[in-house]
Coordinates of all heavy atoms in Angstrom, one line a residue:
E1 N 100.6 95.8 70.4 CA 101.5 96.8 69.9 C 101.9 97.8 71.0 O 102.9 98.5 70.9 CB 100.9 97.6 68.8 CG 100.8 96.8 67.5 CD 99.6 95.8 67.5 OE1 98.5 96.2 68.0 OE2 99.8 94.7 67.0
K2 N 101.0 98.0 72.0 CA 101.2 99.0 73.0 C 100.6 98.6 74.3 O 99.9 97.6 74.5 CB 100.7 100.4 72.5 CG 99.2 100.3 72.3 CD 98.6 101.7 71.9 CE 99.0 102.1 70.6 NZ 98.2 103.3 70.1
G3 N 100.7 99.5 75.3 CA 100.1 99.3 76.6 C 100.9 98.7 77.7 O 100.6 98.7 78.9
S4 N 102.1 98.1 77.3 CA 103.0 97.6 78.3 C 104.4 97.6 77.7 O 104.6 97.7 76.5 CB 102.7 96.1 78.7 OG 102.7 95.3 77.5
L5 N 105.4 97.6 78.6 CA 106.8 97.6 78.2 C 107.3 96.2 77.9 O 107.6 95.4 78.8 CB 107.7 98.3 79.3 CG 107.3 99.7 79.6 CD1 108.2 100.2 80.7 CD2 107.4 100.6 78.4
E6 N 107.2 95.8 76.6 CA 107.6 94.5 76.2 C 108.4 94.5 74.9 O 108.2 95.4 74.1 CB 106.4 93.6 76.0 CG 105.5 93.3 77.2 CD 104.3 92.4 77.0 OE1 104.6 91.3 76.5 OE2 103.2 92.9 77.2
V7 N 109.3 93.6 74.7 CA 110.1 93.5 73.5 C 109.1 93.3 72.3 O 108.2 92.5 72.4 CB 111.1 92.4 73.5 CG1 111.8 92.2 72.2 CG2 112.1 92.6 74.6
G8 N 109.3 94.2 71.3 CA 108.5 94.0 70.1 C 107.3 95.0 70.1 O 106.7 95.2 69.0
K9 N 107.0 95.7 71.2 CA 106.0 96.7 71.2 C 106.6 98.1 70.9 O 107.8 98.3 71.0 CB 105.2 96.7 72.6 CG 104.3 95.5 72.8 CD 103.5 95.7 74.0 CE 102.4 94.6 74.2 NZ 101.5 94.8 75.3
F10 N 105.7 99.0 70.6 CA 106.1 100.4 70.4 C 106.9 100.9 71.6 O 106.4 100.6 72.8 CB 104.9 101.3 70.1 CG 104.1 101.0 68.9 CD1 102.8 101.1 68.9 CD2 104.8 100.5 67.7 CE1 102.0 100.8 67.7 CE2 104.1 100.2 66.6 CZ 102.7 100.4 66.6
A11 N 107.9 101.7 71.4 CA 108.6 102.3 72.5 C 108.0 103.6 72.9 O 108.5 104.7 72.7 CB 110.1 102.5 72.1
D12 N 106.7 103.5 73.4 CA 105.9 104.6 73.8 C 105.9 104.6 75.3 O 105.4 103.7 75.9 CB 104.5 104.6 73.3 CG 104.4 104.6 71.8 OD1 105.5 104.9 71.1 OD2 103.3 104.5 71.3
M13 N 106.5 105.6 76.0 CA 106.7 105.6 77.4 C 106.5 107.0 78.0 O 106.7 108.0 77.3 CB 108.1 105.0 77.8 CG 108.3 103.6 77.4 SD 110.1 103.1 77.5 CE 110.6 103.6 75.9
V14 N 106.3 107.0 79.3 CA 106.3 108.2 80.1 C 107.1 108.0 81.3 O 107.1 107.0 82.0 CB 104.9 108.7 80.4 CG1 104.1 107.7 81.3 CG2 104.9 110.0 81.1
V15 N 107.9 109.0 81.7 CA 108.7 109.0 82.9 C 108.1 110.0 83.9 O 107.9 111.1 83.6 CB 110.2 109.4 82.6 CG1 111.0 109.4 83.9 CG2 110.8 108.5 81.6
L16 N 107.8 109.4 85.1 CA 107.1 110.2 86.1 C 108.0 110.5 87.3 O 109.0 109.8 87.5 CB 105.8 109.5 86.6 CG 104.8 109.0 85.6 CD1 103.7 108.2 86.2 CD2 104.2 110.2 84.9
S17 N 107.6 111.5 88.0 CA 108.5 111.9 89.2 C 108.2 111.1 90.4 O 108.9 111.1 91.4 CB 108.2 113.4 89.5 OG 106.9 113.6 89.9
N18 N 107.1 110.3 90.4 CA 106.7 109.5 91.5 C 106.4 108.1 91.0 O 106.0 107.9 89.9 CB 105.5 110.0 92.3 CG 105.8 111.1 93.2 OD1 106.9 111.1 93.9 ND2 105.0 112.1 93.3
D19 N 106.5 107.1 91.9 CA 106.1 105.7 91.7 C 104.6 105.6 92.1 O 104.3 105.6 93.3 CB 106.9 104.7 92.5 CG 106.5 103.3 92.3 OD1 105.4 103.0 91.8 OD2 107.3 102.4 92.8
L20 N 103.7 105.6 91.1 CA 102.3 105.6 91.4 C 101.8 104.4 92.2 O 100.7 104.4 92.7 CB 101.5 105.8 90.1 CG 101.7 107.1 89.4 CD1 100.8 107.2 88.1 CD2 101.4 108.3 90.3
I21 N 102.6 103.3 92.2 CA 102.2 102.1 93.0 C 102.5 102.3 94.4 O 101.7 102.0 95.3 CB 102.9 100.9 92.4 CG1 102.5 100.6 91.0 CG2 102.6 99.7 93.3 CD1 101.0 100.2 90.8
Q22 N 103.6 102.9 94.7 CA 104.1 103.0 96.1 C 103.9 104.3 96.8 O 103.9 104.3 98.1 CB 105.7 102.7 96.1 CG 106.1 101.4 95.5 CD 105.6 100.2 96.3 OE1 105.3 100.3 97.4 NE2 105.5 99.1 95.6
C23 N 103.7 105.4 96.1 CA 103.6 106.7 96.8 C 102.3 106.8 97.6 O 101.4 106.1 97.3 CB 103.8 107.8 95.8 SG 102.4 108.1 94.7
S24 N 102.3 107.8 98.5 CA 101.0 108.1 99.2 C 100.0 108.6 98.3 O 100.2 109.1 97.2 CB 101.3 109.0 100.4 OG 101.6 110.3 99.8
D25 N 98.7 108.6 98.8 CA 97.6 109.2 98.0 C 97.9 110.6 97.7 O 97.7 111.1 96.6 CB 96.3 109.1 98.8 CG 95.8 107.6 98.8 OD1 96.3 106.8 98.1 OD2 94.8 107.4 99.5
E26 N 98.4 111.4 98.7 CA 98.6 112.8 98.6 C 99.7 113.1 97.5 O 99.7 114.0 96.7 CB 99.0 113.5 99.9 CG 97.9 113.5 100.9 CD 97.6 112.1 101.5 OE1 98.5 111.2 101.5 OE2 96.5 111.8 102.0
A27 N 100.7 112.2 97.5 CA 101.8 112.4 96.6 C 101.5 112.1 95.1 O 102.1 112.6 94.2 CB 103.0 111.5 97.0
I28 N 100.4 111.4 94.9 CA 99.9 111.2 93.5 C 99.7 112.5 92.8 O 100.2 112.7 91.7 CB 98.6 110.4 93.5 CG1 98.8 109.0 94.0 CG2 98.0 110.4 92.1 CD1 97.5 108.2 94.1
L29 N 99.1 113.5 93.5 CA 98.8 114.7 92.9 C 100.0 115.6 92.7 O 99.9 116.6 91.9 CB 97.7 115.5 93.7 CG 96.4 114.8 93.8 CD1 95.5 115.5 94.8 CD2 95.7 114.8 92.4
D30 N 101.1 115.3 93.3 CA 102.3 116.0 93.1 C 103.2 115.5 92.0 O 104.3 116.0 91.6 CB 103.2 116.0 94.4 CG 102.5 116.7 95.5 OD1 101.8 117.7 95.3 OD2 102.7 116.3 96.7
T31 N 102.7 114.4 91.4 CA 103.5 113.7 90.3 C 103.6 114.6 89.1 O 102.6 115.1 88.6 CB 102.8 112.4 90.0 OG1 102.7 111.6 91.2 CG2 103.6 111.6 88.9
K32 N 104.8 114.7 88.6 CA 105.0 115.5 87.4 C 105.4 114.6 86.2 O 106.0 113.5 86.4 CB 106.2 116.5 87.6 CG 106.0 117.4 88.8 CD 104.8 118.2 88.7 CE 104.7 119.2 89.9 NZ 103.4 119.9 89.9
I33 N 105.1 115.0 85.0 CA 105.6 114.3 83.8 C 107.0 114.8 83.5 O 107.2 116.0 83.2 CB 104.7 114.6 82.6 CG1 103.2 114.4 82.9 CG2 105.1 113.8 81.4 CD1 102.9 113.0 83.4
L34 N 108.0 114.0 83.6 CA 109.4 114.4 83.4 C 109.7 114.2 81.9 O 110.5 115.0 81.4 CB 110.3 113.5 84.2 CG 110.1 113.6 85.8 CD1 111.1 112.8 86.5 CD2 110.2 115.1 86.2
M35 N 109.2 113.2 81.3 CA 109.6 112.9 79.9 C 108.5 112.1 79.2 O 107.9 111.2 79.8 CB 110.9 112.1 79.9 CG 111.6 112.0 78.5 SD 113.2 111.1 78.7 CE 114.1 112.3 79.8

C-alpha cells in the first residue's frame, strides 16, 4: 500500500529541495521539506 511510488499504492509523497541520492554529504543537512 505504501513505501514506493507505484500505480495502485497510496499517493503519499514528500517533495524535497535536494536529491538525497546525488547531493553531497553536507548538502543533506540543507535539505528542506517543500511539500
Side-chain angles (χ1 to χ4, degrees):
E1 290 77 39
K2 62 175 71 167
S4 59
L5 298 178
E6 297 180 58
V7 174
K9 288 191 173 185
F10 298 143
D12 297 352
M13 294 166 273
V14 60
V15 180
L16 305 175
S17 63
N18 281 322
D19 180 346
L20 293 181
I21 297 293
Q22 302 294 338
C23 71
S24 68
D25 286 350
E26 294 72 24
I28 292 172
L29 295 172
D30 296 328
T31 302
K32 308 299 182 187
I33 309 301
L34 300 181
M35 193 178 296

